[in-house]
Amino acid sequence: MNSLLLVALLGCLATVFAAPHERVRWCVTSQKEQQKCTDFSAKVPVFSCVRRDSILNCIIAIKAGEADAMTLDGGDIYTAGLNNYNLQPIIAEDYGTNSETCYYAVAVVKKGSGFNFNQLQGKRSCHTGLGKSAGWNIPIGTLVSMGLIQWEGIEDKPVEEAVSEYFQASCAPGANQGTKLCELCKGDCSKTHSEPYYDYAGAFQCLAEDAGDVAFVKHLTVPEAEKSKYELLCKDNTRAPIDNYQHCHLAKVPAHAVVTRKDAQLAEFIWQSLNSAQVFQGFNLFSSEAYAPSKNLMFKDSTVRLVQVPPNTDSFLYLGAEYTSIIRSIKKEESPSTSPGAIRWCAVGHAETTKCDNWTPASMVGGSATIECSSAPTVDDCLKKIMRKEADAMAVDGGQVYTAGKCGLVPVMVEQYDAGLCGTSGAASSYFAVAVVKKDSGVTWENLKGKRSCHTGVGRTAGWNIPMGHIYDLSKDCDFSKFFSSGCAPGSKSDSPFCQQCVGSGKAVGDEFKCKASAEEKYYGYAGAFRCLVAGSGDVAFIKHTTISENSNGKRLTLVNFYLNLNSVALYKTLFDSFSCLLKGNGPDWATGVMSDDYQLICPGKAPVPISEYQSCNLAQVPAHAVVTRPEIRNDVVRVLQAQQASFGISADEFTFKMFQSENGKNLLFKDSTKCLQEIQAETRYDKFLGSEYMNAMTSLRECGTDTSDLEKSCSFHSCQQKN
């Protein structure tokens, strides 16, 4: 039977895996691991084996194209993801029946040994390996953060030296031979299976043989038959049974993952090869029993199955901000930093970057800028920068607040569009999501199917999440291309029907901005979606209720605002009366001649109504845009923005920078209708800010899955790390 399965498997692999990739070259670091790999490749010839003497040299070999893949622990995934190697995780180990792509880092001691976590100083320690997650990064990072290990940083001494001073002696494979960190090791102290005390089983053996007093391992390490002899050390200085790891652990850690070069075809080839091999009955990838005493060869023996990681997930997104922060705290790596007291604002595209660059010199205080600028091509790329500490804050739409929240960011200030409420604490700001059509077009909510649609952007609140949620409720079909014939929804895939009506930046050929979710796409954002309708590229536009009035009846907002900012009311009236004839038809070029009366609102169960009736004919009342940032710098961002809007907010004089006006576009950095920013109560999570109605709509829409961004998929991948 096995031979028949092997023939079938090889036939399948031969069919699916034609050129350009013919084999997966697996990198191994020990003789035992090479033996297992060789036995595996004999059964499944699509795999071959490459031997290097260390994990780092395997990472280098994969980068150089001399090998293709290997499975790494979180600490090594971090190293592999650095710019000089640029590898990415593509497949995760799963340790349970409910997609448990995490494990628990624990401190194991012998029962009755008589000390607690805060009494580890002077004890002997067993580690899985230098730079390993459960064996080094988590326990040492925890001891440093709790002040139990005194360490001021690498300018003071290497962290290894501080650890050596804290513990009496250790075995930390991978440390320098001849140091206290190798004193307890049984072999050569190398970070390979040639050191008997290496890895989880080795660290536990170090404890079992009384070489050490504590072993830092994962929660599944202690054999079932031995559990009664051991206990866990808890951070609250109590002890717990081995199986009580969910309540007594140091941290949750992302699972080991297969890494490779950033090559989509290679990644898919490796996944298909392993996915077929893991169900092949002739070889158990997740057992090292035949190679005892070695364990966890190629994969952890506790692996139940392999799970494909969402596309475009880099090492940082896979590991998560919390774990990466722990690694940085141990390595004392400095991410790009700002001047003292400054924050880095993330701008999307050229137009926003230009406005931000004008903000920086205006924000100078005492010779230093309070606002510095970072830029990225999309909002999701900006959110990644904020997570990586390469930027600090940006203002985003509610749908993007949802994604940011899934990635661990928090809303800290909200745009207020009613000037009368700016001085009112706790007055929530919101707007109405509406569907707009041309008057007398005959388009109603009931006959929308088959029409062309204009959206602010995929994942945006008024332009996508709210209307598509309604349409899903109507059609119960997640394929929205079956509902609309075509449209423009910036952020869609280039071959999507929702890119057909997009126009990009207006270049005749080779327009790289077509359908991109940035201001370079003329149909992006509120004004862009309305422009799409005005130009006849769509039959309906999904926007906010103020968009039409802001882009019709000849308004040139910058000129009007200039007059409004004049100190002399009499002079303003004279100038306004004198130039009123020029104002008509003097809006944006594309809006010349556009009159608000030529447009109507449509909504379920009603005939089209004038745009002024948005309170009775809308798709939803939704939360305003909000500023998001990392939790730990919340107070700094609020402080800086409060000072900035006092100088450059709605009351700024006409000759200075204005936060809430856009000279070369619409809604740059903030919505132009913003009157002020209001602080959101501390500790407010994204779900509370968005509200239950909005969260329910998002949950319903996420059932489709197709509209979930790659970033959100990456941030939501580890279900065991989700807090909701």
Side-chain angles (χ1 to χ4, degrees):
M1 183 64 177
N2 283 348
S3 60
L4 291 176
L5 284 172
L6 178 57
V7 171
L9 172 64
L10 295 180
C12 174
L13 293 175
T15 301
V16 176
F17 306 123
H21 300 291
E22 296 179 354
R23 283 194 172 192
V24 177
R25 295 166 296 172
W26 202 265
C27 200
V28 298
T29 59
S30 69
Q31 186 273 328
K32 287 286 189 180
E33 196 168 45
Q34 184 173 22
Q35 184 181 341
K36 179 178 178 179
C37 182
T38 301
D39 293 344
F40 174 55
S41 63
K43 297 282 189 180
V44 188
V46 74
F47 288 89
S48 62
C49 309
V50 174
R51 173 81 178 270
R52 293 292 185 271
D53 61 2
S54 69
I55 289 173
L56 181 59
N57 283 335
C58 266
I59 291 172
I60 293 171
I62 296 171
K63 168 65 175 176
E66 298 166 358
D68 297 316
M70 72 180 307
T71 308
L72 294 179
D73 153 275
D76 295 319
I77 291 171
Y78 177 85
T79 300
L82 297 175
N83 288 336
N84 43 334
Y85 307 120
N86 206 31
L87 305 186
Q88 66 174 359
I90 59 168
I91 301 164
E93 295 180 344
D94 189 328
Y95 308 122
T97 56
N98 297 315
S99 193
E100 297 172 9
T101 56
C102 293
Y103 59 93
Y104 294 87
V106 296
V108 178
V109 294
K110 287 190 173 180
K111 188 175 287 187
S113 49
F115 57 88
N116 290 318
F117 191 75
N118 65 344
Q119 298 170 321
L120 283 175
Q121 186 169 9
K123 301 298 186 292
R124 300 166 301 161
S125 60
C126 304
H127 307 262
T128 60
L130 200 69
K132 290 281 195 176
S133 294
W136 184 266
N137 293 338
I138 296 299
I140 302 307
T142 301
L143 289 166
V144 169
S145 65
M146 293 176 67
L148 296 174
I149 291 182
Q150 301 295 320
W151 185 53
E152 300 301 324
I154 54 175
E155 65 281 354
D156 174 35
K157 67 183 77 168
V159 69
E160 292 86 350
E161 184 177 333
V163 175
S164 294
E165 294 171 356
Y166 183 76
F167 291 113
Q168 177 186 329
S170 306
C171 177
N176 292 329
Q177 291 189 16
T179 66
K180 286 178 66 177
L181 292 182
C182 284
E183 189 174 321
L184 301 182
C185 290
K186 199 171 185 179
D188 59 4
C189 194
S190 67
K191 197 175 171 183
T192 70
H193 289 95
S194 60
E195 165 55 58
Y197 290 168
Y198 169 66
D199 207 3
Y200 302 106
F204 176 68
Q205 185 182 348
C206 168
L207 173 65
E209 294 179 354
D210 287 323
D213 303 307
V214 59
F216 298 111
V217 292
K218 64 182 175 71
H219 69 286
L220 298 172
T221 301
V222 182
E224 188 68 35
E226 299 289 309
K227 288 181 178 179
S228 61
K229 302 176 185 177
Y230 297 90
E231 292 179 311
L232 301 177
L233 294 184
C234 310
K235 287 191 290 185
D236 64 359
N237 299 316
T238 61
R239 289 190 174 205
I242 292 296
D243 286 333
N244 202 19
Y245 54 83
Q246 289 186 324
H247 302 288
C248 179
H249 58 264
L250 305 184
K252 292 179 183 176
V253 181
H256 289 204
V258 176
V259 301
T260 190
R261 297 179 293 283
K262 290 184 177 179
D263 178 334
Q265 282 188 326
L266 176 59
E268 184 62 21
F269 176 66
I270 294 169
W271 163 245
Q272 293 291 352
S273 300
L274 282 173
N275 193 37
S276 297
Q278 71 175 328
V279 298
F280 173 53
Q281 302 299 310
F283 193 92
N284 188 350
L285 267 176
F286 312 134
S287 173
S288 303
E289 188 176 352
Y291 310 96
S294 295
K295 293 188 177 182
N296 303 311
L297 302 175
M298 297 182 64
F299 296 92
K300 282 166 68 174
D301 295 340
S302 54
T303 304
V304 173
R305 62 177 174 268
L306 300 175
V307 181
Q308 191 170 23
V309 173
N312 303 317
T313 302
D314 60 16
S315 294
F316 179 86
L317 291 176
Y318 182 82
L319 296 172
E322 183 178 7
Y323 181 77
T324 306
S325 178
I326 290 173
I327 296 180
R328 283 179 173 155
S329 70
I330 295 175
K331 296 179 179 291
K332 291 295 181 183
E333 291 179 350
E334 296 297 327
S335 43
S337 59
T338 58
S339 304
I343 62 172
R344 287 161 298 182
W345 200 263
C346 198
V348 178
H350 175 73
E352 283 203 347
T353 301
T354 299
K355 179 177 178 179
C356 190
D357 288 341
N358 291 331
W359 190 4
T360 297
S363 71
M364 297 285 285
V365 175
S368 297
T370 307
I371 297 293
E372 296 178 3
C373 300
S374 180
S375 65
T378 67
V379 171
D380 279 5
D381 288 322
C382 265
L383 295 179
K384 290 179 186 178
K385 282 198 163 191
I386 296 171
M387 293 165 63
R388 291 189 182 102
K389 301 185 181 180
E390 296 170 0
D392 296 318
M394 71 183 303
V396 294
D397 153 275
Q400 295 153 343
V401 170
Y402 181 89
T403 298
K406 286 289 186 180
C407 293
L409 305 183
V410 293
V412 295
M413 297 197 83
V414 61
E415 295 178 348
Q416 175 58 261
Y417 311 123
D418 185 340
L421 295 177
C422 279
T424 306
S425 177
S429 184
S430 62
Y431 61 94
F432 293 93
V434 296
V436 181
V437 299
K438 289 183 177 178
K439 190 175 183 179
D440 301 326
S441 65
V443 179
T444 67
W445 187 263
E446 280 65 35
N447 67 15
L448 264 184
K449 189 169 184 178
K451 303 298 189 294
R452 299 165 302 156
S453 55
C454 302
H455 307 263
T456 59
V458 173
R460 299 286 296 267
T461 298
W464 188 268
N465 296 336
I466 296 301
M468 293 319 212
H470 277 282
I471 289 167
Y472 174 73
D473 290 339
L474 189 68
S475 66
K476 300 302 179 184
D477 192 337
C478 291
D479 186 356
F480 298 122
S481 66
K482 293 179 182 177
F483 190 88
F484 291 112
S485 60
S486 64
C488 179
S492 299
K493 290 181 167 51
S494 58
D495 58 353
S496 166
F498 291 105
C499 275
Q500 286 182 12
Q501 301 299 329
C502 294
V503 293
S505 62
K507 290 181 181 179
V509 293
D511 191 345
E512 69 272 25
F513 298 112
K514 181 178 171 65
C515 204
K516 296 298 183 185
S518 72
E520 275 69 30
E521 164 58 62
K522 291 183 177 182
Y523 290 171
Y524 175 68
Y526 299 109
F530 182 47
R531 182 177 184 177
C532 167
L533 176 65
V534 170
S537 298
D539 303 304
V540 59
F542 298 110
I543 50 181
K544 65 184 175 77
H545 70 283
T546 60
T547 302
I548 301 175
S549 61
E550 292 168 354
N551 294 276
S552 61
N553 303 332
K555 288 184 179 177
R556 182 182 289 279
L557 292 178
T558 53
L559 184 58
V560 172
N561 285 329
F562 171 76
Y563 292 145
L564 289 173
N565 282 321
L566 291 175
N567 293 325
S568 169
V569 175
L571 179 58
Y572 157 71
K573 186 178 186 306
T574 301
L575 286 170
F576 187 86
D577 290 343
S578 300
F579 285 91
S580 60
C581 61
L582 297 178
L583 287 170
K584 188 172 181 61
N586 197 29
D589 291 343
W590 63 267
T592 301
V594 174
M595 305 303 292
S596 61
D597 289 344
D598 294 333
Y599 297 87
Q600 294 177 307
L601 304 180
I602 61 172
C603 55
K606 295 187 69 170
V609 301
I611 65 165
S612 58
E613 296 185 22
Y614 57 83
Q615 287 189 324
S616 63
C617 184
N618 61 74
L619 303 183
Q621 187 172 2
V622 296
H625 290 202
V627 175
V628 295
T629 188
R630 298 182 301 281
E632 69 270 18
I633 59 167
R634 176 204 178 275
N635 294 340
D636 293 333
V637 171
V638 171
R639 172 183 52 79
V640 169
L641 288 179
Q642 286 177 335
Q644 288 298 296
Q645 71 173 348
S647 299
F648 310 119
I650 199 69
S651 61
D653 68 65
E654 67 271 23
F655 300 111
T656 191
F657 173 80
K658 296 178 179 59
M659 290 172 63
F660 310 134
Q661 289 184 26
S662 304
E663 297 295 330
N664 299 306
K666 282 281 187 180
N667 303 309
L668 303 177
L669 303 183
F670 304 95
K671 281 170 64 176
D672 295 339
S673 54
T674 303
K675 301 300 185 289
C676 66
L677 298 174
Q678 293 178 305
E679 182 178 358
I680 298 171
Q681 185 176 353
E683 307 300 326
T684 300
R685 286 165 42 84
Y686 74 100
D687 48 353
K688 183 179 179 181
F689 170 77
L690 293 174
S692 58
E693 183 179 350
Y694 191 93
M695 288 297 295
N696 289 339
M698 290 299 293
T699 301
S700 176
L701 194 59
R702 285 302 182 265
E703 289 179 8
C704 293
T706 54
D707 300 319
T708 307
S709 69
D710 286 349
L711 174 60
E712 187 181 322
K713 288 177 182 176
S714 296
C715 290
S716 305
F717 177 67
H718 297 300
S719 60
C720 51
Q721 289 186 322
Q722 292 299 303
K723 297 178 181 178
N724 58 313

